[in-house]
Each structure stands twice: as C-alpha cells, then as structure tokens.
Amino acid sequence: MLHLRLITPSEKTDAVVRLIENTVGTTHLAVVPGAARNPAGDVVLCDVAREAADELLTGLQELGLDKSGSIAVENIDLSLSVRADKAEAEAPGEGADAVLWEHLTDATHEESTLSVTYLAFITLATMIAACGVVLDNAILIVGAMAVGPEFGPLAGISTSIVRRAPRLALRSLIALLVGFAVAMAVTVVFSLFMDWIDLFSKEQLEADRPQTGFVYAPDAFSFIVAVLAGAAGTLSLTSAKSGALVGVAISVTTVPAAANAAVALSYGDMGQTWGSTEQLLLNLLGIILAGALTLLLQKWLWSRQRGRINAGQGS
C-alpha cells in the first residue's frame, strides 16, 4: 500500500475526493479542511493499493494538483487494516507488477544527475577495478562493480526513451559520458603513479590473466549478459525490489572494462584499450536496450490488463 498526502485548493477538494472515491483500490480517506498553510488549502489523506496508484496519480495531475497544490507519496511498510486488505484485493493486477511512472521518472532523475558524489563513486570504483585487473583479482573486480553508480544514468536513458523525456535523456547521457571520462582520466594518472612506485607494471597487465582477461575480450556473451542484467535491473526499479540491483551491478563489466582501458592506455597497449572500450560499449548498449524494452513490455502488459478489467466492469 501507498499513502498519499495531498494539499488541495478548497475549490478543487470536492473533485479530488470524488476521484479518490471512484478509484478502485483506495481506502482510509480523510479530509482536513483549511489545514494547509503553504500552499493554502485543505489536506486530503488516503491509502491506495500500489497497482491502482498510477491511475490515481494521473487523475490528480489532470486536475492540476501538482501545480496548484501538492502530491506526496509514501510507502506503507505495515498496515493492519481489513479495509486496506479489501482495497488491495479489489485493485486490478498485482502490486509487484505495477509501474509508478512518476516515481520511476523521479528516481532515475535523482540517480542520473551529475554530481560530486556520483563522480567520486564512479572514479573510486574504476580505480579499485584498475587494481583488480593488474593483480588479476576477481574479488576486487566484483567490489568495483558493486561500488559503481552507472546503472542510474543507464536506467534514466531507458526511461527517457519510453517516457519521451529529452531532458532526462540529456541529463543521463551527460552523467554517463562525463562520469566515465573523468573516472578513466583519473585512473590513467593513478596507474602511472602506481607504476612509478613499482606497484603496477606493464608485465602484469600483459601477463596471462585467467580471472580478469575477459574485460578486454568481448564476445556474444558480453552483450547477452548485459541485456539480461539490464532487464533485471529495470524490473528491480519498477517493482521496488532494489536489492536485486546489487546482483545487476556485479553481472556487467562496465567499470572493469573502463578501468582496463585506462590502465592499458597508460602503458600504450592499444590492443587492450580498444578491446576494453568495445566491452564497455557493448555493455552500455545492452543495458539501455534491455531497459527500454522491459519498460515498453511492462507498459503494454499493464494497459492490456487494465483494458480487460475495464471491459469486465462495463459489462
């Protein structure tokens, strides 16, 4: 269940209440007239089943409440209520399958914004991965994958394709490109420093690396795994099962490939540099493509389910 806290101009309160009452899957409706001060108006509270929330939020936006008032949505971790159970049972579909498009857009907007923190994480992840590829240490590679924040901008690009949001696409693309460019540039300097203090060497990089050699040797599985991980990551975002993102992060080799390219570039090994770059691009393309297709499929399936339910109610 989700909890909605609305501030409505007094002249719109009746329309908002009617919309809530006519939306299947809502309960615990409360109206506090004149309680809001900034903006001035009434406070309307209600709970809604997750699978009915997107329809309700769309209706509230059509009433202009996002401009003239306020719409706040919170997750309810526990609700001991027969009415809540009844509302969830009446709502169409399953909550785990529902996509809250405004929530997804807002979440990807936050995760895909270029910031000092984002740059710090992706740079540190790339430097950790650089140590992993030189030492041929799979544990360091996995750690670097988990630290890397690049799935946020990738999800932002996929969402922007489906939502037709050019600003989100541009913001995500800037974060992705600038982030990797900065991380790889810093890692080149880091690699040269580590070589200067005799902790990195070209011989280590070019030696047989059974644990990490895959990062500069892309093949069909590179793209296939990226596609599967992109679909899993998108599902974890839309169903609020964020724990799955950790598995997604350690399934793709974006950060290790960027790190290997940077280290190889510092030694002038263009073979590994180009191979790692190809691996990086294949992973990025696979994740974006899978994310967009997953969202489109979810949108199509949910619209079909809504259509069947509405047809049944009409008859």
Side-chain angles (χ1 to χ4, degrees), residues 1-13:
M1 294 289 288
L2 300 174
H3 178 67
L4 269 62
R5 185 180 70 254
L6 313 174
I7 296 178
T8 74
S10 299
E11 65 273 12
K12 291 187 177 182
T13 300

Side-chain angles (χ1 to χ4, degrees), residues 158-265:
S158 297
T159 303
S160 69
I161 293 172
V162 177
R163 297 280 285 171
R164 298 179 182 179
R167 289 186 179 180
L168 177 59
L170 181 60
R171 182 183 296 108
S172 302
L173 189 61
I174 290 174
L176 194 66
L177 296 179
V178 174
F180 272 114
V182 170
M184 292 174 72
V186 172
T187 303
V188 168
V189 176
F190 173 71
S191 178
L192 293 172
F193 172 75
M194 294 292 280
D195 180 79
W196 181 60
I197 61 176
D198 294 328
L199 291 179
F200 280 9
S201 69
K202 189 174 183 179
E203 289 73 22
Q204 287 176 295
L205 181 71
E206 296 182 346
D208 184 29
R209 287 158 45 197
Q211 299 294 321
T212 60
F214 65 92
V215 298
Y216 62 89
D219 55 19
F221 281 103
S222 301
F223 185 74
I224 292 171
V225 171
V227 168
L228 296 175
T234 302
L235 285 173
S236 73
L237 286 177
T238 57
S239 64
K241 296 183 181 298
S242 58
L245 281 176
V246 177
V248 172
I250 61 177
S251 299
V252 292
T253 54
T254 48
V255 166
N260 199 86
V263 176
L265 184 62

Side-chain angles (χ1 to χ4, degrees), residues 49-167:
R50 180 182 173 86
E51 52 269 40
D54 190 64
E55 180 181 358
L56 178 57
L57 291 174
T58 300
L60 292 172
Q61 288 178 300
E62 290 174 351
L63 290 173
L65 203 61
D66 54 326
K67 297 180 176 64
S68 60
S70 171
I71 304 172
V73 183
E74 301 172 346
N75 279 306
I76 299 177
D77 295 327
L78 176 64
S79 179
L80 302 178
S81 167
V82 173
R83 289 181 178 274
D85 294 340
K86 184 173 182 291
E88 285 191 314
E90 292 176 346
E94 295 293 332
D97 297 332
V99 180
L100 300 180
W101 291 103
E102 290 301 327
H103 177 269
L104 177 62
T105 301
D106 184 68
T108 51
H109 175 278
E110 182 179 350
E111 293 295 326
S112 62
T113 300
L114 185 64
S115 64
V116 173
T117 301
Y118 172 82
L119 288 175
F121 270 116
I122 196 168
T123 300
L124 291 170
T126 307
M127 292 166 70
I128 293 171
C131 296
V133 297
V134 172
L135 299 176
D136 194 35
N137 188 315
I139 295 176
L140 291 177
I141 293 295
V142 172
M145 290 175 176
V147 172
E150 73 280 6
F151 190 80
L154 293 170
I157 294 174
S158 297
T159 303
S160 69
I161 293 172
V162 177
R163 297 280 285 171
R164 298 179 182 179
R167 289 186 179 180

